Amino acid sequence: MQKIEIKAEQFFELLKLKDTSMWEIFAQMIDGNEKEIIFLDNEDKILFNYILPSNSEKLEEDRTEFSKQFSEKLTNLN
């Protein structure tokens, strides 16, 4: 499995500047092979990782599940 390391702060700043979502970027990276995307902080410590699926159907399932969990966490904060 290919590993891709991404500096999280720079990545999310670029997404804001380009007005795009990480899911759009992930969709462009799909090539039939799973990839491990590793998000790093500025000191190269692992913040979290994500296994990019080999197909867009699974990516859509992941996006839906992420959105659901994110919404639940936001609700619990209020």
Side-chain angles (χ1 to χ4, degrees), residues 18-62:
K18 298 283 186 180
D19 193 30
T20 192
S21 78
M22 70 177 177
W23 300 104
E24 290 176 46
I25 301 300
F26 290 170
Q28 294 173 20
M29 296 170 65
I30 292 177
D31 65 3
N33 297 308
E34 285 187 342
K35 295 173 182 62
E36 181 180 14
I37 301 174
I38 304 166
F39 290 88
L40 306 171
D41 67 10
N42 290 331
E43 297 174 356
D44 292 333
K45 293 180 185 168
I46 296 175
L47 296 171
F48 58 94
N49 67 343
Y50 172 66
I51 304 299
L52 181 70
S54 59
N55 63 63
S56 57
E57 292 81 15
K58 177 65 173 124
L59 179 69
E60 183 58 27
E61 289 174 21
D62 289 354

Side-chain angles (χ1 to χ4, degrees), residues 8-23:
E9 185 176 346
Q10 294 166 348
F11 177 71
F12 290 110
E13 187 62 34
L14 182 63
L15 291 179
K16 280 192 247 180
L17 290 172
K18 298 283 186 180
D19 193 30
T20 192
S21 78
M22 70 177 177
W23 300 104

